[in-house]
Amino acid sequence: MLKVGLTGGIGAGKSEVSRLLVERGAVLIDSDRISREVVEPGTPGLAAVVEEFGPGILTVEGTLDRPALGTLVFADDERRAALNAIVHPLVGARAAELERAAPEDAVVVHDVPLLTENGLAPFYDLVVVVDAAAETQLDRLVRLRGMTESDARARMAAQATREERRAVADLIVDNDGSREALVSRVDAVWDELVRRAAAAR
């Protein structure tokens, strides 16, 4: 098994790269998806979040009100750390469980948005960083996701810098161009991952 950490700044195109890798045969473990699963209604994760932050972070249906929680933690490092202390261990345990279920010869891609920020690079056999210029990220966030420019810039500023992400990368997928160019780069990365997985057996 080859354990790959996949990361990239918001708007860099990481989700598209993960989709392309799955099409080529990768087993995807998506940290964002798991982080939603572990705080679904009825889970110990949601109970712990409510205990920490109060019932005001629930919708009337009893689900997690992400915007309300985001407002509490986005600008407060201590509150964000408290949330992470609840959610991150649950995400890690579920990711490990999914990894154990993968075939022995699999290329397992862990899609981890905050890989760089949380110092997780050493936990993978190699790290793939999807990289784009800040102007490209900003354009995508405003044009494709409907964010205001100030919101987009705030989200980008809250993440690791482009240089910090590139510093932990074993392989970099530049994504400033066309989708066709991206597909070609992902093909090359996939060939390299398959080669490394075979060499590790």
Side-chain angles (χ1 to χ4, degrees):
M1 181 183 295
L2 187 73
K3 295 190 285 187
V4 180
L6 175 70
T7 196
I10 187 169
K14 176 177 56 59
S15 296
E16 183 61 21
V17 170
S18 70
R19 274 193 294 272
L20 291 168
L21 289 170
V22 168
E23 284 177 10
R24 282 147 185 77
V27 173
L28 179 66
I29 298 176
D30 184 334
S31 291
D32 268 352
R33 186 176 301 149
I34 296 171
S35 70
R36 289 190 291 273
E37 285 176 10
V38 299
V39 289
E40 284 177 352
T43 60
L46 184 60
V49 172
V50 171
E51 186 177 335
E52 177 68 35
F53 294 95
I57 52 94
L58 292 176
T59 67
V60 291
E61 293 83 19
T63 62
L64 184 63
D65 185 337
R66 292 181 176 280
L69 182 60
T71 301
L72 286 177
V73 304
F74 187 64
D76 186 328
D77 289 344
E78 279 189 25
R79 301 306 277 151
R80 190 162 61 246
L83 177 64
N84 290 343
I86 296 166
V87 175
H88 286 180
L90 297 171
V91 172
R94 178 64 178 145
E97 187 182 325
L98 291 170
E99 186 180 275
R100 286 193 297 272
E104 283 184 22
D105 61 349
V107 174
V108 178
V109 174
H110 290 262
D111 182 333
V112 186
L114 300 180
L115 183 150
T116 308
E117 292 83 345
N118 291 331
L120 301 176
F123 295 98
Y124 304 101
D125 296 320
L126 78 161
V127 172
V128 176
V129 169
V130 184
D131 184 59
E135 303 77 44
T136 303
Q137 291 176 261
L138 186 63
D139 173 67
R140 288 175 182 154
L141 294 174
V142 172
R143 186 167 48 85
L144 302 177
R145 297 201 198 174
M147 287 187 188
T148 64
E149 184 173 330
S150 60
D151 272 356
R153 288 188 184 280
R155 294 289 185 90
M156 290 165 62
Q159 294 188 331
T161 65
R162 188 180 186 189
E163 293 71 27
E164 287 167 339
R165 275 190 298 272
R166 291 178 73 97
V168 302
D170 296 289
L171 299 171
I172 294 173
V173 179
D174 288 307
N175 189 23
D176 276 315
S178 66
R179 190 174 189 282
E180 292 73 23
L182 178 64
V183 169
S184 176
R185 292 190 185 101
V186 172
D187 281 336
V189 166
W190 178 247
D191 288 346
E192 177 64 13
L193 297 180
V194 169
R195 187 189 68 75
R196 294 197 188 201
R201 274 178 222 145

